[in-house]
């Protein structure tokens, strides 16, 4: 389990993290999202002991990471392609990682093959593409088969096969009881792999919970496919229901599917389908951040 | 990338000890991206230096003017090796920081003090191993090419050269790790080793009285002076053993201070994050 408790961190006058608290549980994939500069990478570096926290603490399995004796077994981390050393070859980098973690070098070769880098193993990392660097870094993080995984934007630059491999790996890791914490800007991708989501805003957790909870907290969209959209719009307006036409489909927000079905039943309007679709993570994200922006604007206006 | 990981194929890992880290750091220096070329160059120059000394000892005129001893043949390579490896580490450390390697190493080894110690020791170990290899070739060269044979004090001379050679490399590594930037390392290194002792020496001869004596003492205590004096091991009956001992002590003090400064910098959480 990975835990952040009231973590505070500033760079100069700028407070990046102001009381960040959340826990990523074993057996689950936790997505860590937030806008650029929200402090996600800073939080990861504090967890790894690469930056000091000014307040609060970050722990892995109940201990600060710096105190662990078997780092490879406790935590695997990937912080970005800038930390995969360009002067080494792919093979020598994984051999060094294996040596430090006390695992056989053959494991490095195994992972080179797993991430499809066996053919490029003896080339310098500086010659790799972004995607290849990503794959190498991810392979290094996975090598010790750690109980906890921390991955900062691992999907960036990966090809379709790479994304799928990573998704399968992370799912199987979580199913095996391991804790996975990953940040990503690709919310549609995160949605396919995450069990829980933590949203970071202004240096603290603005929203967290299981993906399902977050989606159910948000208002569902009811979509009605009809041949006469305008007639249905008029009908809904008469019933004081707000609706709009999107790509020929009438979308309604703020009422239940039963209410819409009742309205349609009372009228003679024909329709071909009526469906309730849950909001995507992206919708939840923008709902959260747009609301906060509006809130800030109101506050600024009041001042 | 269609293969998935079968965890049952993978073996568990061992606790991370100083020896695990030392082994990894030493092997890294030999691997691509490390300093294999520097190591080979140091070894070749070390061997050539020993063979050259053995050959020079056969020149009678030269031998009567400045006699080359058996100890010289055995230790000349060690000194050359430590100088080449010192340059190598000054070149390597900033490169490693810029490439993001240090940050990677620091999160792979959360106990950064242990990591730093292992890094210093890996350079010392390579210096020692190369020094021993050139000693062996020196013995062969002396036996095959010259009439020089083992004499009293040779062993002491050899051990001192090996130890001081390693300490010089450790000092260079610590200095580079502390200063981090290539240009700064070269500037500070040149100043401490050559410019400062020379300037202080010149100053002490130009100024008389207390100030002159003070500059003279500073010149003797400067890194360049103590290091080069420490490498001049007095032979039996030389009578300058205490002076040499002070130079060795001075070198150790310089090394300790530099190591502590470097360790303090290295353990700082933001160190190596470019």
């Amino acid at each position: 389990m990975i835990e952040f408790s009231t973590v505070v961190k500033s760079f100069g006058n700028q407070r990046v993290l102001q009381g960040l608290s959340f826990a990523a549980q074993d057996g689950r994939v936790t997505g860590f999202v937030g806008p650029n500069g929200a402090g996600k990478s800073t939080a990861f570096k504090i967890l790894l002991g690469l930056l000091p926290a000014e307040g609060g603490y970050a722990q892995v399995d109940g201990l600060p990471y710096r105190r662990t004796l078997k780092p490879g077994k406790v935590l695997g981390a990937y912080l970005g392609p800038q930390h995969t050393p360009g002067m080494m070859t792919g093979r020598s980098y994984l051999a060094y990682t294996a040596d430090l973690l006390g695992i056989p070098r053959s494991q490095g070769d195994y992972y080179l093959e797993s991430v499809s880098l066996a053919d490029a193993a003896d080339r310098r990392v500086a010659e790799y593409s972004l995607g290849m660097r990503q794959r190498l870094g991810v392979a290094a993080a996975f090598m010790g088969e750690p109980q906890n995984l921390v991955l900062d934007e691992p999907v960036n630059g990966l090809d379709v096969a790479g994304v799928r491999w990573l998704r399968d790996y992370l799912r199987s890791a979580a199913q095996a009881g391991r804790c996975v914490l990953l940040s990503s800007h690709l919310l549609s991708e995160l949605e396919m792999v995450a069990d829980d989501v933590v949203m970071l805003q202004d240096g603290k957790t603005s929203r967290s919970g299981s993906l399902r909870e977050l989606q159910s907290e948000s208002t569902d969209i009811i979509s009605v496919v009809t041949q006469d959209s305008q007639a249905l719009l008029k009908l809904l307006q008469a019933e004081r229901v707000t609706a709009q036409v999107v790509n020929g489909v009438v979308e309604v927000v703020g009422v239940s599917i039963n209410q819409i079905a009742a309205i349609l039943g009372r009228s003679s309007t024909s329709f071909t389908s009526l469906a309730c679709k849950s909001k995507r993570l992206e919708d939840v994200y923008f709902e959260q951040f747009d609301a906060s922006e509006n809130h800030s604007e109101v506050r600024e206006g009041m001042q | 990338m269609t293969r998935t990981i079968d965890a049952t194929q993978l073996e568990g890992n061992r606790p991370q000890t100083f020896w695990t880290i030392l082994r990894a750091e030493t092997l890294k220096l030999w691997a691509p991206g490390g300093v294999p070329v520097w190591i080979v160059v140091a070894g070749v120059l070390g061997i050539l230096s020993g063979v050259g000394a053995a050959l020079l000892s056969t020149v009678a005129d030269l031998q009567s003017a400045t006699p080359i001893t058996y100890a010289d043949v055995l230790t000349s390579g060690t000194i050359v090796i430590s100088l080449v490896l010192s340059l190598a580490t000054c070149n390597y450390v900033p490169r490693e920081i810029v490439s993001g390697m240090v940050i990677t190493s620091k999160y792979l080894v959360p106990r950064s003090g242990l990591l730093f110690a292992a890094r210093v020791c890996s350079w010392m170990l390579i210096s020692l191993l190369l020094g021993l290899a050139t000693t062996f070739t020196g013995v062969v060269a002396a036996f095959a090419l010259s009439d020089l044979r083992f004499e009293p004090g040779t062993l002491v001379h050899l051990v001192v050269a090996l130890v001081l050679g390693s300490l010089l490399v450790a000092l260079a590594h610590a200095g580079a790790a502390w200063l981090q930037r290539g240009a700064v390392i070269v500037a500070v290194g040149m100043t401490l080793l050559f410019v400062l002792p020379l300037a202080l020496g010149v100053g002490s001869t130009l100024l008389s009285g207390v100030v002159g004596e003070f500059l003279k003492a500073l010149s003797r205590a400067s890194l360049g002076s103590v290091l080069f004096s420490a490498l001049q091991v007095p032979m039996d009956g030389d009578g300058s053993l205490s002076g040499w001992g002070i130079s060795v002590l001075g070198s150790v003090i310089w090394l300790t201070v530099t190591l502590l400064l470097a360790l303090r910098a290295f353990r700082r959480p933001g160190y190596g994050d470019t």
Side-chain angles (χ1 to χ4, degrees):
Chain A
M1 188 178 86
I2 293 168
E3 187 189 4
F4 289 87
S5 178
T6 59
V7 174
V8 177
K9 176 70 188 169
S10 304
F11 292 111
N13 293 329
Q14 194 190 355
R15 182 152 279 196
V16 179
L17 297 177
Q18 30 193 344
L20 176 68
S21 296
F22 73 90
Q25 303 292 340
D26 288 344
R28 298 180 78 81
V29 177
T30 304
F32 193 33
V33 298
N36 286 333
K40 301 186 294 291
S41 299
T42 302
F44 286 165
K45 284 182 178 174
I46 288 172
L47 179 73
L48 293 168
L50 300 174
L51 282 177
E54 285 149 24
Y57 62 85
Q59 292 185 333
V60 186
D61 292 340
L63 278 176
Y65 177 62
R66 296 184 90 153
R67 282 172 52 189
T68 182
L69 294 174
K70 275 189 167 186
K73 204 72 195 162
V74 172
L75 184 76
Y78 173 67
L79 294 182
Q82 70 274 24
H83 297 303
T84 43
M87 57 191 196
M88 301 182 96
T89 63
R91 192 187 305 282
S92 64
Y93 174 53
L94 291 194
Y96 171 63
T97 305
D99 289 344
L100 277 182
L101 300 181
I103 52 181
R105 283 184 165 204
S106 56
Q107 213 146 301
D109 294 334
Y110 174 77
Y111 271 94
L112 278 171
E113 203 183 312
S114 296
V115 297
S116 303
L117 283 177
D119 292 340
D122 296 315
R123 276 167 54 193
R124 287 197 187 276
V125 176
E127 296 168 16
Y128 282 14
S129 66
L130 172 66
M132 290 164 87
R133 276 188 165 215
Q134 293 276 108
R135 281 186 269 158
L136 182 68
V138 166
F142 293 168
M143 267 177 67
E145 285 291 310
Q147 174 59 27
N148 302 277
L149 281 165
V150 171
L151 308 168
D152 195 5
E153 304 281 355
V155 184
N156 284 0
L158 288 188
D159 56 17
V160 181
V163 170
R164 184 162 185 180
W165 175 84
L166 183 66
R167 192 195 305 145
D168 290 347
Y169 185 94
L170 295 179
R171 285 281 6 132
S172 64
Q175 278 163 13
R178 292 153 68 189
C179 169
V180 180
L181 174 62
L182 78 152
S183 74
S184 179
H185 286 300
L186 299 174
L187 299 182
S188 54
E189 193 49 52
L190 200 58
E191 194 168 25
M192 294 174 83
V193 73
D195 300 301
D196 300 320
V197 175
V198 175
M199 290 187 182
L200 182 65
Q201 190 178 18
D202 298 331
K204 53 190 171 193
T205 310
S206 61
R207 213 165 167 185
S208 66
S210 74
L211 187 63
R212 280 190 183 174
E213 275 170 16
L214 290 181
Q215 286 172 330
S216 63
E217 279 170 16
S218 301
T219 324
D220 290 336
I221 299 171
I222 314 296
S223 62
V224 187
V225 179
T226 172
Q227 286 184 336
D228 192 352
S229 308
Q230 292 307 317
L232 180 56
L233 271 183
K234 279 183 189 170
L235 173 69
L236 292 170
Q237 278 164 6
E239 296 280 346
R240 294 172 188 273
V241 173
T242 311
Q244 59 177 344
V245 180
V246 179
N247 297 329
V249 177
V250 177
E251 288 192 350
V252 186
V253 179
V255 288
S256 71
I257 192 167
N258 291 338
Q259 285 174 284
I260 299 296
I263 292 169
L264 291 169
R266 285 200 299 271
S267 72
S268 57
T269 309
S270 64
F271 63 97
T272 50
S273 84
L274 170 65
C276 173
K277 57 176 184 180
S278 291
K279 282 210 166 175
R280 292 172 304 150
L281 180 58
E282 194 174 277
D283 300 320
V284 178
Y285 177 88
F286 281 113
E287 202 175 88
Q288 173 67 28
F289 287 95
D290 287 348
S292 301
E293 265 178 33
N294 292 338
H295 184 60
S296 307
E297 281 167 17
V298 170
R299 264 194 321 207
E300 279 165 21
M302 285 168 73
Q303 285 167 357
Chain B
M1 305 243 306
T2 49
R3 237 180 101 183
T4 50
I5 301 296
D6 178 5
T8 56
Q9 289 184 22
L10 303 173
E11 299 168 48
N13 48 16
R14 300 186 297 272
Q16 197 171 54
T17 63
F18 172 77
W19 302 110
T20 318
I21 306 164
L22 175 63
R23 180 176 172 272
E25 289 294 332
T26 309
L27 291 174
K28 181 187 75 176
L29 294 178
W30 284 93
V35 286
V37 176
W38 283 93
I39 292 172
V40 171
V41 168
V44 169
L45 289 179
I47 290 168
L48 288 178
S49 173
V51 173
L55 280 174
L56 286 175
S57 71
T58 60
V59 182
D61 292 347
L62 199 68
Q63 195 66 355
S64 58
T66 44
I68 293 172
T69 63
Y70 189 64
D72 291 334
V73 175
L74 301 195
T75 59
S76 58
T78 305
I79 307 302
V80 170
I81 284 164
S82 60
L83 288 173
V84 175
L85 288 182
S86 297
L87 284 176
T89 196
C90 289
N91 172 271
Y92 181 71
V93 168
R95 201 155 54 96
E96 210 184 18
I97 291 171
V98 170
S99 77
M101 188 73 222
V102 173
I103 283 287
T104 304
S105 302
K106 281 181 82 173
Y107 76 70
L108 287 170
V109 185
R111 288 169 296 166
S112 53
L114 211 57
L115 175 65
F116 178 76
R119 284 177 166 232
V120 173
C121 288
S122 67
W123 282 95
M124 291 174 76
L125 186 64
I126 286 182
S127 169
L128 208 60
L129 290 175
L130 285 181
L132 286 171
T134 53
T135 301
F136 176 74
T137 56
V139 170
V140 175
F143 182 78
L145 302 172
S146 73
D147 297 328
L148 296 173
R149 291 294 174 263
F150 191 84
E151 55 200 71
T154 300
L155 196 62
V156 175
H157 211 123
L158 182 62
V159 171
V160 167
L162 286 170
V163 172
L164 283 178
S166 302
L167 291 184
L168 177 65
V169 177
L171 182 72
H173 182 81
W178 177 44
L179 298 168
Q180 298 176 47
R181 291 195 188 90
V184 182
I185 295 164
V186 172
V188 173
M190 296 294 276
T191 304
L192 288 177
L193 282 174
F194 305 110
V195 179
L196 199 63
L198 192 69
L200 289 170
V202 171
S204 67
T205 54
L206 292 178
L207 298 167
S208 57
V210 181
V211 179
E213 285 303 311
F214 179 67
L215 290 180
K216 197 175 178 183
L218 275 184
S219 174
R220 281 182 182 161
S222 65
L223 178 64
S225 299
V226 293
L227 210 56
F228 291 121
S229 304
L231 288 170
Q232 308 298 316
V233 185
M235 300 305 277
D236 276 0
D238 202 326
S240 56
L241 205 62
S242 62
W244 175 76
I246 289 170
S247 300
V248 171
L249 186 67
S251 302
V252 171
I253 290 170
W254 270 100
L255 174 67
T256 309
V257 170
T258 315
L259 277 174
L260 288 175
L261 286 170
L263 176 64
R264 189 165 162 266
F266 191 84
R267 291 188 70 180
R268 233 181 12 238
Y271 183 92
D273 199 359
T274 48

